[in-house]
Amino acid sequence: MDFTTVGIRRGIRTRRAALALAGAVGIAGAAVLVVLPDGEHRAPYRAGHPAPGASPGSPGEVPSPGARGLGDPLAPLDGNGGYTVRRYTLDFDWRAPRTPFAATTTVRATATQALSRFDLDFAGNTLHAVTVDGAPAKAVRDGDELVVTPAKPIARGGAFTVRVAYTADPTQRRHRDDAIQDYGWVPTADGTLLSLQPDGARMVFPADDHPSVRAPFTFRITTPPGLTAVANGRLVGHVRQPDGRIRWTYDSEEPVAAQLVQMAVGRFSVVDGEGPRGLPVRDVVPEDLVADTEAYRALTPGHLAWLEQRLGPYPFRRYGVLVGDTDLPVALETQSLSVVPSADLSGDQVGAERNLVHELAHHWTGDSVAIRRWSDLWLSEGHARFYELLYSDTHGGIDLEGMMRAAYEQHDQWRHDDGAPAEPTASTLFRQMRYDGSALVLYALREKVGEDTFDRIERSWVTTYQGRAAGTADFVRLASRVGGEDLTHFLTPWLYGPHTPPMPGHPDWQVDPVED
């Protein structure tokens, strides 16, 4: 997700807005218990993400409830304990803009302990039925938690299938009194798209909703004729139903974090292209905006090649841009199909490329290398901002050193207002510090170790942790190993604490005094 500096010194142009972590909204109620037929027979996806501790439970193991959350200090109830999701299947019978529709989410999982009950993150929407392995289950709403008690306990290491039938509400959104404003379902003139960061997925489908947790998805979306449905990954089916409606089936191809899921319906043109080494590039564009956005969308293959020179091969099987012709305050790196507001593709080229490179860079840092917990967000947004600025600097756009000097001057103020780069609070998570302030940490590291060593650190970071979650301590250890020196004492004051350290190589740079 991108955020362009507001009010930064030296008249630097701004175009984008910040995202802030939203608090949970509680909705209580009980599930209606009915048996649903079990028709899911697809073979498990080999995600390379085995369930920790998943082995057959001993006969004497006493079942107990799975943890209600993963215990992230900034969002303790995000995610769930006791199981690992192996695949989600979303069945959506989409009808019309802003119109509720029938939905079923099937969650195939493996128990990592003997389970007496478990939770899913699920907010809003009218709940109809929950089954576990085809048998009715007790389900109770408790805030954003859907607490499921199966008819009989699940053994540790046991595979199980949960089905949740509900009425999806595509008007459901949450509001922040900051730049993100509304997020969740995003209505368009003829359909919808999704903007789920940070905790909006639970308004769309029941999930294990934490940025460190990923699973593959199957999307089955039925639409009226004349509309197109798109989602993360590859189109594997496009079938006209007996009533004339169209069923679109997509496979995500790779595990996806819930916040990075994309599903859109509308009058779209799908524009196919090609990136480095034949990489499929698929843009999804409202029909009346294809020509108006073509010039900037056509830059994507060059952006891919430039980032691959620095970070290694693009880590997924395809890429593309979903053009959002709606009131969308931010771009978002939804995996393999970044959503970018149409307004960002109709202005000046410098601004457009900054947005496009930022969201693409996230596919290495944030999507492929996921953050371990929310306080590690600087690794995702700081890297995306750094490469956005570096690209612009080397392609006739903004001046990287000037941007970094301006950020340095305000760094103590941002530390005071929003917390140091690696120690945000829940309410300051998506603020200026996680963008320009975190890019400044990477700039300082480059000034400290030199460009060649920095480039080796960066490439090693994304190749070492590709397909995994990693955190701040992992980055410091890796940088020290690749850099050939212990960088702990250098990086710690940059990442934590109230004061900004001196910038290597720039003894004349000064930090402005903090104002309350």
Side-chain angles (χ1 to χ4, degrees), residues 88-92 103-107 162-166 204-207:
Y88 295 95
T89 299
L90 308 185
D91 285 280
F92 287 170
T104 301
T105 293
T106 302
V107 182
V162 186
R163 288 196 170 195
V164 182
Y166 55 103
V204 177
F205 57 94

Side-chain angles (χ1 to χ4, degrees), residues 34-39 103-105 128-131 133-136 163-166:
V34 298
V35 177
L36 295 179
D38 188 353
T104 301
T105 293
H128 297 307
V130 179
T131 66
D133 292 332
R163 288 196 170 195
V164 182
Y166 55 103

